[in-house]
Amino acid sequence: MRKRLTVTALYGSLTAASLVWMVPVVTAFAISVLPIGQTRSGWWHGGLSQLTLANYRDAWSQGLSQYVMPSFVITLGSVVASLLLGSLASYAFARLEFRFKRLTYFLLLTTMIVPVQIILIPLLPWLRLLGLAQGDLQYLGIILVHTAFGAGWAVFMMSAFFADVPEELLEAARLDGASHLDQLRYVVMPLALPGLVSFAIIDFVFVWNDLLLGLTLLDRDHQPLTVGLANLQSPHLAQENLVSAGSIMVVLPPLLLFIALNRFYVRGLFAGGVKG
């Protein structure tokens, strides 16, 4: 009986916390589908007859549309690069022995704790020197920066999954003449798929939501959606209805990605929790 009460209390507190967390989300959605006059007098007083999609149309036409392609280019490029390089590095740290292994692993993990603000200004002359501060090469520059910051997280997350792959499977692959790349591609990565997907989702959300790097390293023609969303609001013009509508549109891609890959993400989170 006591155990049942404990479980009930736990689920009850989690449900209450979830409802509290949903308050700003519901508020943003309500503001996004109501006229600006209604939201300023209290969105909870609005009726169904006042619902409108004009805020979404205006937010899209007033600038968000031009930021969609840069956001997808930066985010997908960064996630793919981090996955590829992270998989190679994670396999090496999990399955190979080499000199300075622990030191290299430690240096990679330090990228997880170094604030991006510390190296942001020194990055600018390097990007100019390498020719990555002009034209479409700006995409490559910011993708490399995001990949560098994602490398530590990739190794930290995926090496644990790679280390859990049974050695017997890799030994059988070696007996069949498989190289290390073959073992990684055909044995390790399929078995570690939940870990790969978990990292991909987390990295996608991190890069997609980035504002500082996009605002600092890119010109207006190459900036992501987060910058466009910030530009909808100015000190002289309060457009909370457009900002709310833009926020809902900006959050949709990572939300849909999470819904589509949720089963892999959950398996990745709980992998290792049950032995045998």
Side-chain angles (χ1 to χ4, degrees):
M1 179 62 69
R2 180 177 297 179
K3 182 178 180 180
R4 181 177 298 177
L5 291 176
T6 301
V7 173
T8 302
L10 175 61
Y11 278 98
S13 59
L14 291 176
T15 301
S18 301
L19 293 175
V20 172
W21 179 86
M22 286 296 294
V23 170
V25 179
V26 173
T27 301
F29 178 75
I31 294 175
S32 72
V33 294
L34 290 173
I36 184 66
Q38 178 60 51
T39 60
R40 289 176 178 174
S41 63
W43 62 267
W44 49 88
H45 297 305
L48 295 178
S49 60
Q50 296 175 304
L51 299 183
T52 177
L53 296 179
N55 295 329
Y56 289 89
R57 183 186 64 247
D58 293 342
W60 182 263
S61 62
Q62 289 188 25
L64 281 189
S65 58
Q66 72 184 67
Y67 297 98
V68 173
M69 191 273 288
S71 276
F72 276 105
V73 171
I74 295 169
T75 304
L76 294 179
S78 301
V79 172
V80 170
S82 297
L83 274 176
L84 291 176
L85 296 178
S87 297
L88 293 172
S90 299
Y91 177 83
F93 283 111
R95 292 297 178 178
L96 302 179
E97 293 295 334
F98 52 91
R99 296 181 62 184
F100 307 115
K101 178 178 177 179
R102 292 187 177 182
L103 176 62
T104 308
Y105 185 79
F106 171 77
L107 292 176
L108 272 174
L109 293 189
T110 57
T111 61
M112 299 167 53
I113 59 176
V114 175
V116 65
Q117 292 86 350
I118 292 179
I119 67 167
L120 186 58
I121 300 304
L123 271 177
L124 295 174
W126 278 106
L127 292 177
R128 295 193 189 101
L129 179 65
L130 297 173
L132 300 177
Q134 295 179 347
D136 290 343
L137 287 177
Q138 294 176 85
Y139 289 137
L140 178 59
I142 195 170
I143 285 173
L144 291 176
V145 174
H146 279 302
T147 302
F149 276 97
W153 286 105
V155 171
F156 178 75
M157 290 186 62
M158 293 191 290
S159 59
F161 288 92
F162 288 7
D164 286 339
V165 175
E167 179 63 28
E168 292 80 4
L169 296 177
L170 297 178
E171 184 176 354
R174 287 192 293 268
L175 291 176
D176 289 336
S179 64
H180 285 296
L181 286 178
D182 292 332
Q183 295 174 51
L184 173 63
R185 179 180 177 184
Y186 297 109
V187 179
V188 176
M189 293 185 70
L191 293 177
L193 185 60
L196 299 176
V197 173
S198 297
F199 170 76
I201 293 176
I202 293 173
D203 196 43
F204 185 97
V205 173
F206 175 81
V207 178
W208 183 268
N209 290 336
D210 170 68
L211 172 64
L212 181 61
L213 291 179
L215 185 62
T216 307
L217 303 181
L218 303 174
D219 60 29
R220 182 174 294 272
D221 294 331
H222 298 84
Q223 289 174 335
L225 271 169
T226 47
V227 177
L229 182 62
N231 290 338
L232 289 177
Q233 184 81 3
S234 69
H236 310 291
L237 182 61
Q239 301 187 106
E240 54 265 30
N241 57 332
L242 300 189
V243 173
S244 296
S247 300
I248 298 298
M249 288 191 287
V250 169
V251 80
L252 279 179
L255 179 62
L256 294 176
L257 178 68
F258 178 80
I259 292 174
L261 302 177
N262 178 57
R263 62 190 182 94
F264 294 103
Y265 183 69
V266 173
R267 285 170 55 193
L269 288 180
F270 290 97
V274 180
K275 300 298 182 181

